[in-house]
Amino acid sequence: MTPAIRFATLDDVDAIRALITSLLPMMTIHPNGEGAEQFIESFGVPAMQRYISAANFRYQLAMLNGGLAGVVAVRDNSHLFHLFVAQHLQGRGIGKKLWQAAWNDARSLGNPGQFTVNSSMGALEMYKHWGFEPTSEPIQQHGIAYVPMRLIMPA
């Protein structure tokens, strides 16, 4: 099954938040989210509405059978800000399809092939497979652990 990719609207905020919330135990240091309140607040309704409405954010959704399968967002045309796929659909290429859509959109808007991402520990190998390279050791702060990474593609 191939998901349909489309840009997000403010009407999608609740579905995006539900998807991200369902994945919290995979992203926070403590599965219950302890210490990650600032991170959790970053995808609350007001924050998500600001992101989707902001000119420097581009959100795209993967829709499958009428439901949200995944979401990708690029900030400032160069930082992979969000990339989440519903847990029961992971490993089926949806993340790659979202990344390709984000990549193509950013390139069409002038990105020369340079991207950054703060990878969760669980997504590290996926990003490495796509060509991203760590730029530091893992960082733990605000209840989450992540690895800053970058991708530089030849022009």
Side-chain angles (χ1 to χ4, degrees):
M1 302 178 105
T2 301
I5 306 294
R6 68 168 175 81
F7 283 97
T9 70
L10 289 174
D11 291 337
D12 298 310
V13 166
D14 289 337
I16 295 168
R17 288 186 64 249
L19 172 63
I20 297 171
T21 301
S22 75
L23 299 170
L24 261 182
M26 300 169 69
M27 295 181 284
T28 58
I29 294 170
H30 300 287
N32 67 359
E34 179 184 340
E37 294 81 10
Q38 181 179 348
F39 172 70
I40 294 167
E41 188 176 311
S42 76
F43 54 84
V45 170
M48 292 301 304
Q49 288 173 336
R50 279 193 312 275
Y51 299 148
I52 290 174
S53 298
N56 65 321
F57 282 85
R58 306 273 291 180
Y59 272 81
Q60 295 184 69
L61 308 178
M63 305 300 294
L64 197 57
N65 299 325
L68 181 61
V71 59
V72 65
V74 173
R75 182 186 70 216
D76 299 326
N77 207 38
S78 63
H79 180 73
L80 190 54
F81 185 70
H82 282 157
L83 178 56
F84 299 108
V85 174
Q87 190 169 5
H88 70 283
L89 296 171
Q90 291 178 2
R92 298 184 186 186
I94 294 170
K96 183 176 183 180
K97 194 156 194 65
L98 283 164
W99 164 235
Q100 289 170 335
W103 162 272
N104 289 336
D105 182 56
R107 293 297 302 256
S108 75
L109 296 172
N111 181 302
Q114 299 179 17
F115 292 87
T116 57
V117 67
N118 291 328
S119 174
S120 68
M121 302 312 292
L124 193 57
E125 292 306 313
M126 175 187 73
Y127 287 118
K128 285 181 179 177
H129 180 73
W130 293 346
F132 283 84
E133 297 177 356
T135 58
S136 84
E137 295 298 314
I139 296 170
Q140 288 191 10
Q141 66 181 13
H142 307 298
I144 60 171
Y146 62 93
V147 176
M149 303 181 84
R150 76 167 170 243
L151 172 72
I152 300 175
M153 298 294 290

